[in-house]
Amino acid sequence: MSNINETEKMKELIEVLNKASKAYYAEDIEIMSNAEYDALYDELLMLEEKTGTVLAGSPTVNVGYEAVDNLPKETHESPMLSLDKTKDREALRDWLNGHEALLSWKLDGLTIVLTYENGTLSKAVTRGNGEVGEVVTNNAKTFINLPHKIAYKGKLIIRGEAVISYDDFNKINEEIPEEGAKYKNPRNLCSGSVRQLNNEITAKRNVRFIAFNYVSQGGSDTDFKLRSEQFDFLKKQGFEVVEYHKVTEDSILDKISYFAKMVANYPIPSDGLVLTYNDIEYGRSLGRTAKFPRDSIAFKWADETANTHLIDMEWSPSRTGLINPVAIFEPVELEGTTVSRASVHNVSIVKSLMLGIGDEISVYKANMIIPQIKENFTKSGNLTIPKFCPACSEKTQIKNENGVETLYCVNEACPAKQIKRFSLFVSRDAMKIDGLSEATLEKFISVGFIKKLSDIYKLAEHKEAICNMDGFGDKSYEKLIASIEKSRDVLLPNLIYALGILNVGLSNAKIICKAFDYDIEKIKNATVEEIAVTDNIGDVIATSVFDFFHDSEKLSEFNELVNELNILIPEKKETNSNIGGKTFVITGSLNTYENRNALKDLIESLGGKVAGSVSAKTDYLINNDVTSNSSKNKKAKELNVQIISEEDFNELIK
């Protein structure tokens, strides 16, 4: 079996084992027996030992989380130069000058330099200014596809791009209730994630590393002549390598067209292509200019533009009060689709473009995806910035933040803010009320049925009017009311999240509720300092919670809402002094307990914790076959973790 095939097999095993662990420990579902799990685990361990490679996510390793006070700086061994650029496809073909080259994606993330020594990742440094970068080694260890160990034991330095996919970017943004707090694009999210002072945060962001450049291999007995050979070598070590194709003057235009068709649906952000001579020695012989290496060149997409006329500017209020300008123009065809709208982002851009109704403008799709205004030819500047909010008719306010002007509605009772707030309130992770879409909420708010949160639970008073509304009838009304009635029974964390408190997501709500014993009165009366000392909360979130419950109007509305609800509080767990705070791992068959879940429930009810794998934080491994050579037993012995039987455990809790 080749190294590449072995690597693929390891990836399959990791996926299966992690899926089984998640099902068992997080979802209380057993999808394979202990024997099957251990056999697959041992097979993975054997392959890791044989290949010398340990892939990210492997259940055989655990990445420890660590917080640092700052990111140290370090000078790169060789400077990281920018690339010369062109948008001309013919110029790119001429650049080849008869030589073969590799054409690959130019990924839009954060460039990282990795150093491996003795088969282990020893250092990860950001590009920085090209000369000096920031050391992010602990954060890099959490990248979801990065090998922790490789077969090659010499010194290896490679460059690549840390990236976050569009899907993960959207999922992370969906968890942020505040519109103004959402991340602007995957690149900014990735950069912030990689440069965190606590790598536990990085680990939650699904950052990937894609190698694009082999820098050096100290003490290597391998003499690569082609860059494609270097990429093959990196693949064998377990790295994900950027997609590339060998091209010549005859094939390059077709390959550019291939990438152009792919970019709109490519899952990773890309802002162009990179062309690099395949012959390493030839590339080196060309040297470099003061700014650019001569062995590579970047290709930026020549954005397809179209001229049109500005018809209107739609000012769209959001739940935070931010009013976003959206340009409406005569429809045009761009990159194969019809486009008639483009976000203008803020007042500063509106002013800099000197926009006016009727102006002739050119529009394009940034990176062939996002519609933007490129230029205003007539620059009439006659566009009026609204002095009143389109949704509530109250006065607007222009705020200047870091030199950028943005338009806000400062009216807390603005219907637009209410629609977004109510939409969050009824959402799946909040009160779970089906049938109240934003469009329906807007209808109910506009006719005065809903002015505050508690009004949702009084909608039955308007049965006749609701049944006569467009899109409603008796059946849809009954279904809506049934969903509302069901939502009256609610867990406290879901209710706290549903309130839309600034910066408080569901996970933070759970932490806060647990810290204050699920006592809503304690949370309402807590000081900023008392909330801030809670794990992973801090001053910003604590201040948001405190301010919410000390705002007289919000507190009054909350108290009215609580009168309509039955807040469910988890039963307080009895703590056994012998196992309180202790971490257990369970493996093998059981004799006195119905199944692992029953034993797990008992441990947690007594204040203990149950983990999926043995680590340095494990206190006990429960295994009736104490002398077995299973992978968990081996790991426990290596870490001096006590292995006990069910009988031992029963004695422990007496």
Side-chain angles (χ1 to χ4, degrees):
M1 183 185 290
S2 71
N3 279 0
I4 292 179
N5 288 338
E6 288 169 340
T7 300
E8 291 303 317
K9 180 61 178 176
M10 288 160 61
K11 289 179 180 178
E12 291 176 11
L13 289 170
I14 289 170
E15 182 179 357
V16 171
L17 289 168
N18 287 342
K19 184 177 180 181
S21 293
K22 181 181 178 182
Y24 184 80
Y25 291 104
E27 301 166 358
D28 292 332
I29 301 170
E30 191 165 334
I31 62 176
M32 67 171 63
S33 68
N34 291 332
E36 289 174 306
Y37 183 94
D38 288 341
L40 294 177
Y41 185 97
D42 290 341
E43 183 181 358
L44 174 62
L45 204 59
M46 180 271 293
L47 285 171
E48 288 178 345
E49 290 173 357
K50 179 182 178 182
T51 62
T53 299
V54 180
L55 301 175
S58 172
T60 67
V61 296
N62 290 298
V63 177
Y65 294 132
E66 179 180 346
V68 296
D69 295 327
N70 57 67
L71 295 174
K73 303 286 196 303
E74 181 164 308
T75 302
H76 295 296
E77 289 191 14
S78 59
M80 300 181 64
L81 302 177
S82 299
L83 296 181
D84 199 4
K85 302 175 181 64
T86 181
K87 290 187 176 183
D88 188 335
R89 300 187 184 200
E90 290 293 340
L92 211 60
R93 182 166 66 174
D94 293 342
W95 183 88
L96 286 174
N97 196 26
H99 292 272
E100 181 183 70
L102 305 184
L103 185 66
S104 62
W105 291 112
K106 184 176 182 294
L107 301 175
D108 193 16
L110 183 69
T111 300
I112 303 288
V113 183
L114 300 180
T115 301
Y116 282 78
E117 295 179 280
N118 195 30
T120 303
L121 176 66
S122 62
K123 188 165 53 182
V125 184
T126 66
R127 182 186 188 280
N129 63 6
E131 297 283 345
V132 178
E134 293 173 309
V135 179
V136 291
T137 310
N138 288 321
N139 294 353
K141 290 177 180 178
T142 70
F143 294 172
I144 61 174
N145 66 336
L146 189 67
H148 292 184
K149 293 182 180 179
I150 60 175
Y152 177 69
K153 301 305 178 187
K155 184 175 182 180
L156 175 67
I157 302 175
I158 64 173
R159 292 174 185 160
E161 201 81 354
V163 294
I164 291 178
S165 71
Y166 285 114
D167 282 347
D168 287 323
F169 169 75
N170 291 331
K171 288 176 185 176
I172 291 169
N173 260 350
E174 285 171 3
E175 296 173 358
I176 301 173
E178 293 298 323
E179 194 68 30
K182 293 182 185 292
Y183 295 97
K184 303 302 180 188
N185 55 60
R187 187 192 185 285
N188 287 353
L189 172 59
C190 183
S191 178
S193 300
V194 173
R195 299 172 65 252
Q196 286 288 332
L197 297 180
N198 186 339
N199 68 339
E200 188 170 4
I201 299 174
T202 310
K204 296 176 181 177
R205 302 286 175 79
N206 279 352
V207 181
R208 291 168 60 188
F209 176 84
I210 302 179
F212 63 68
N213 185 222
Y214 168 105
V215 180
S216 67
Q217 193 175 356
S220 171
D221 57 359
T222 305
D223 184 17
F224 296 117
K225 295 182 179 180
L226 302 175
R227 290 192 179 274
S228 55
E229 293 174 346
Q230 293 177 337
F231 280 149
D232 288 340
F233 169 78
L234 294 179
K235 288 178 185 177
K236 289 178 181 178
Q237 303 305 310
F239 293 101
E240 183 176 354
V241 172
V242 67
E243 180 186 352
Y244 69 90
H245 295 271
K246 295 178 182 178
V247 294
T248 63
E249 289 179 347
D250 294 331
S251 63
I252 186 170
L253 296 183
D254 286 340
K255 286 302 178 185
I256 294 174
S257 296
Y258 159 80
F259 280 109
K261 290 177 182 176
M262 292 279 291
V263 68
N265 297 310
Y266 193 58
I268 303 298
S270 169
D271 56 359
L273 305 173
V274 174
L275 187 63
T276 305
Y277 289 120
N278 199 17
D279 187 318
I280 297 171
E281 195 54 43
Y282 174 73
R284 287 175 182 162
S285 72
L286 299 175
R288 48 176 276 194
T289 69
K291 294 177 64 177
F292 309 120
R294 290 195 174 100
D295 66 345
S296 301
I297 187 171
F299 173 75
K300 304 289 285 186
W301 300 114
D303 301 310
E304 181 182 344
T305 62
N307 292 353
T308 183
H309 290 88
L310 186 66
I311 298 173
D312 195 9
M313 185 66 72
E314 180 181 283
W315 296 87
S316 177
S318 67
R319 187 166 71 92
T320 62
L322 178 66
I323 303 177
N324 298 296
V326 179
I328 313 298
F329 45 81
E330 295 172 353
V332 291
E333 290 290 319
L334 286 177
E335 311 293 352
T337 60
T338 302
V339 180
S340 60
R341 301 165 61 90
S343 174
V344 190
H345 302 296
N346 54 58
V347 173
S348 290
I349 295 177
V350 170
K351 290 181 176 179
S352 66
L353 287 170
M354 298 180 66
L355 291 172
I357 303 303
D359 280 353
E360 183 181 0
I361 59 175
S362 66
V363 294
Y364 71 105
K365 282 188 176 180
N367 292 332
M368 303 177 73
I369 299 172
I370 305 169
Q372 301 281 306
I373 295 178
K374 182 176 184 178
E375 190 175 355
N376 182 9
F377 299 110
T378 42
K379 298 183 179 179
S380 69
N382 64 29
L383 191 69
T384 302
I385 308 300
K387 294 182 179 180
F388 300 96
C389 173
C392 68
S393 300
E394 293 292 325
K395 287 186 177 180
T396 60
Q397 178 181 332
I398 293 179
K399 296 182 180 181
N400 192 313
E401 299 171 344
N402 300 318
V404 177
E405 290 185 320
T406 50
L407 187 67
Y408 278 86
C409 172
V410 294
N411 175 24
E412 287 299 323
C414 175
K417 295 182 183 180
Q418 300 300 304
I419 291 169
K420 294 294 183 183
R421 185 164 72 97
F422 283 114
S423 179
L424 170 68
F425 182 81
V426 304
S427 65
R428 181 184 59 188
D429 289 334
M431 301 301 291
K432 304 176 185 176
I433 302 177
D434 294 328
L436 281 178
S437 65
E438 285 197 12
T440 301
L441 285 168
E442 188 172 3
K443 289 179 183 178
F444 290 171
I445 290 170
S446 65
V447 295
F449 294 168
I450 298 176
K451 295 179 180 177
K452 48 195 174 184
L453 296 173
S454 58
D455 289 339
I456 288 178
Y457 294 93
K458 301 171 185 176
L459 283 174
E461 298 174 4
H462 309 285
K463 177 179 179 179
E464 185 176 350
I466 292 174
C467 288
N468 288 324
M469 284 183 171
D470 288 340
F472 266 93
D474 289 340
K475 287 186 178 180
S476 55
Y477 166 82
E478 294 296 341
K479 188 176 180 180
L480 170 61
I481 296 301
S483 183
I484 291 173
E485 289 303 311
K486 184 179 179 181
S487 75
R488 289 182 187 271
D489 294 329
V490 60
L491 290 168
L492 184 58
N494 297 87
L495 173 60
I496 296 296
Y497 169 65
L499 299 175
I501 302 173
L502 185 66
N503 300 313
V504 177
L506 181 57
S507 59
N508 290 330
K510 289 179 179 178
I511 292 170
I512 292 169
C513 291
K514 185 177 181 181
F516 288 91
D517 300 322
Y518 297 90
D519 188 328
I520 187 59
E521 292 301 318
K522 287 183 179 179
I523 296 173
K524 285 164 60 177
N525 296 314
T527 65
V528 171
E529 291 74 17
E530 289 170 336
I531 302 170
V533 297
T534 306
D535 289 343
N536 298 320
I537 297 303
D539 292 336
V540 174
I541 295 174
T543 300
S544 294
V545 175
F546 179 86
D547 288 348
F548 182 91
F549 287 112
H550 286 76
D551 181 305
S552 58
E553 290 187 12
K554 290 177 180 176
L555 183 59
S556 175
E557 182 183 22
F558 175 76
N559 289 334
E560 287 185 41
L561 173 64
V562 169
N563 289 334
E564 301 289 339
L565 304 174
N566 174 31
I567 300 177
L568 306 177
I569 309 295
E571 291 184 16
K572 196 167 184 178
K573 296 174 182 175
E574 177 186 350
T575 301
N576 180 291
S577 59
N578 288 336
I579 71 169
K582 302 291 185 181
T583 299
F584 293 78
V585 172
I586 308 168
T587 191
S589 59
L590 299 174
N591 300 323
T592 60
Y593 294 92
E594 182 181 353
N595 52 40
R596 288 190 195 178
N597 286 338
L599 179 54
K600 176 186 174 185
D601 290 342
L602 175 60
I603 292 171
E604 291 180 343
S605 71
L606 297 175
K609 302 175 183 177
V610 178
S613 58
V614 178
S615 71
K617 295 182 180 180
T618 306
D619 294 291
Y620 297 99
L621 170 64
I622 300 176
N623 187 351
N624 284 323
D625 189 356
V626 176
T627 60
S628 79
N629 289 317
S630 71
S631 55
K632 285 189 174 70
N633 273 29
K634 289 178 182 177
K635 190 74 172 179
K637 290 173 183 177
E638 289 174 9
L639 298 172
N640 293 319
V641 171
Q642 188 173 351
I643 305 173
I644 62 175
S645 65
E646 273 179 271
E647 186 177 345
D648 296 328
F649 172 78
N650 291 333
E651 287 296 319
L652 187 65
I653 64 174
K654 280 184 179 179

